[in-house]
Amino acid sequence: MRYIHLFVCCLALIPLHAAEVGIVEDFALAEDREAVLAQLVPGSVEHSFYRCLLLQQRGELDAVDELLARWQREHGDSPRCEEIRARQLLLRTGGDRDAALDAIADHLDLQPLHGTRSGERERDLPSRLDQQRIAWPAFKNLAKLVYKRGSSFALDGFSDAGVLRLVTESDFGERSRVLERLPLADHPQLLGLVIADLADRHTPDFGTRPIHAGLTRTQLATIAERRPQSLENERFVHAMIRRLAPPAPAVAERDPDVRRAWLDRLATFATTLPQTHDALKAHILYHRLANDLRHGVHRAEHLLAYLAIPRRVTYARKRWLQRHRHRAVALDAAFTDATGLPPIGDDSALVREYLLH
């Protein structure tokens, strides 16, 4: 309760007078505070208040009493007078905190409210929570128990921070539920968790977990390295292609160097893809040829890489198309969601241009 007394007194000692901000700053920062007082009208409330403050700072407490009595006779009692009286009480205790609190409590007529009622028996009640009941293992075991009872919301009691902590604990056993709740993809153990999840035969394909959309280009490349079969998955491949795009796609339209580097990255990635993605590879290689042609560049190796993909075109030999009929791709396939580039359509004009060159 003593601290409450002190708090009440502190509030009484800090009145707000917006009009006096200037004099407060001058008085507080001045080396010669007598010069600041000379700017005030002698006998005014402001002059009396700051004169009392100066006398208190000098330790002349009896002089403050005389000035305070004259101040009250001339201007009456006020919150400023009360503040000076409270300061007098504090200063006269000589640094004795208990004596200061008692004096101020008597002055303000404060009554303690924390005492026991008359005749009430003291009770030995706990003052701390049982740490074993509110510790992390207790909450985690409770979530496990809920799941075992058949609930499909075993992680509802965990915050995002709690879910991140579960990632580090392999004994939780509900990998899929943790992945469904992870807020970000920057956890150091996330990648191993995702790879293990994809290896589970009961896990749906890539792209079904919300966290898959937040994986970085480096993380996807690591998944492809550890699980080459991921490159068979269309959603995985498209996600990787989107990560290869320039940070500002609009720049690729204006800057030929940026666009060429981007298409080269796509073409390099396309070389790692299996035959199931031949339509996408043709799409990428065609747009690289078209970009080269736009800038007057003719690369024979790029043309040969494109022509090596069986395509349903009118200028191809029928015997060749028949031999590769199971692999031949249609040129109207759209991959706008992945690359942002239009379908090929008819490539005869581009191929003719290269062959003539």
Side-chain angles (χ1 to χ4, degrees):
M1 192 64 186
R2 291 183 181 274
Y3 294 104
I4 297 177
H5 293 170
L6 182 59
F7 178 71
V8 172
C9 295
C10 289
L11 290 179
L13 297 179
I14 311 176
L16 299 177
H17 298 275
E20 296 183 20
V21 172
I23 186 63
V24 170
E25 293 179 351
D26 293 343
F27 184 83
L29 301 177
E31 295 183 2
D32 184 3
R33 291 178 175 168
E34 287 285 0
V36 177
L37 287 176
Q39 302 175 25
L40 302 176
V41 178
S44 65
V45 172
E46 289 77 13
H47 185 276
S48 300
F49 176 74
Y50 286 104
R51 171 61 66 182
C52 287
L53 286 183
L54 185 57
L55 291 173
Q56 286 178 336
Q57 291 164 5
R58 293 174 177 174
E60 302 176 21
L61 302 185
D62 293 336
V64 174
D65 289 337
E66 296 176 7
L67 178 56
L68 184 59
R70 185 169 64 253
W71 176 6
Q72 289 181 280
R73 286 195 306 270
E74 295 176 356
H75 299 283
D77 206 356
S78 68
R80 285 265 168 119
C81 294
E82 184 69 18
E83 182 175 345
I84 294 300
R85 280 197 296 270
R87 290 179 183 274
Q88 290 287 89
L89 288 172
L90 287 171
L91 293 170
R92 283 198 163 107
T93 58
D96 188 337
R97 188 192 67 174
D98 291 337
L101 292 174
D102 289 337
I104 294 175
D106 291 340
H107 177 69
L108 299 177
D109 194 25
L110 297 175
Q111 300 297 324
L113 302 177
H114 65 287
T116 58
R117 298 176 181 176
S118 177
E120 185 177 0
R121 181 175 59 86
E122 290 191 10
R123 299 178 182 179
D124 184 16
L125 298 176
S127 60
R128 297 183 60 191
L129 294 173
D130 184 353
Q131 298 301 303
Q132 296 301 318
R133 300 184 67 178
I134 62 173
W136 167 256
F139 285 115
K140 187 179 69 171
N141 291 333
L142 178 61
K144 284 184 177 182
L145 179 62
V146 171
Y147 174 69
K148 287 179 180 179
R149 288 177 177 174
S151 170
S152 59
F153 304 99
L155 297 183
D156 275 7
F158 289 91
S159 65
D160 288 345
V163 174
L164 286 173
R165 187 167 179 174
L166 286 175
V167 176
T168 65
E169 302 185 4
S170 58
D171 64 333
F172 188 72
E174 278 300 302
R175 181 188 306 114
S176 61
R177 298 184 185 277
V178 174
L179 288 175
E180 289 291 339
R181 279 285 311 277
L182 279 178
L184 297 172
D186 58 351
H187 194 283
Q189 298 187 19
L190 169 70
L191 193 57
L193 194 64
V194 170
I195 293 175
D197 182 55
L198 292 173
D200 191 332
R201 62 186 180 88
H202 299 293
T203 300
D205 290 336
F206 180 89
T208 57
R209 308 281 192 216
I211 197 64
H212 292 168
L215 295 173
T216 66
R217 173 180 168 182
T218 302
Q219 289 172 325
L220 291 178
T222 303
I223 293 176
E225 180 182 350
R226 298 184 187 178
R227 287 184 53 79
Q229 58 268 44
S230 298
L231 295 176
E232 298 279 352
N233 185 289
E234 182 180 275
R235 280 182 288 193
F236 179 88
V237 172
H238 287 191
M240 188 64 180
I241 287 176
R242 285 191 289 270
R243 304 302 191 279
L244 294 172
V251 177
E253 294 294 330
R254 302 190 303 269
D255 191 326
D257 292 333
V258 173
R259 186 177 181 84
R260 182 175 61 254
W262 167 50
L263 292 170
D264 285 344
R265 287 196 301 272
L266 292 181
T268 299
F269 174 66
T271 61
T272 67
L273 300 179
Q275 291 182 359
T276 53
H277 297 291
D278 275 354
L280 175 61
K281 287 194 281 186
H283 171 82
I284 293 172
L285 297 180
Y286 171 86
H287 282 286
R288 182 172 66 168
L289 288 171
N291 186 67
D292 287 345
L293 195 60
R294 185 188 308 171
H295 296 92
V297 178
H298 300 79
R299 293 188 175 93
E301 66 275 15
H302 290 181
L303 176 64
L304 292 175
Y306 173 70
L307 295 178
I309 300 174
R311 303 167 324 287
R312 298 192 185 101
V313 291
T314 57
Y315 57 80
R317 288 190 304 171
K318 292 183 179 181
R319 184 180 300 176
W320 182 81
L321 285 176
Q322 181 65 22
R323 186 166 66 248
H324 298 287
R325 63 183 181 277
H326 298 298
R327 284 188 55 198
V329 298
L331 298 184
D332 57 355
F335 300 97
T336 308
D337 291 342
T339 65
L341 299 171
I344 298 174
D346 183 4
D347 68 348
S348 58
L350 178 137
V351 173
R352 185 181 298 109
E353 178 81 19
Y354 270 90
L355 293 178
L356 289 174
H357 177 79

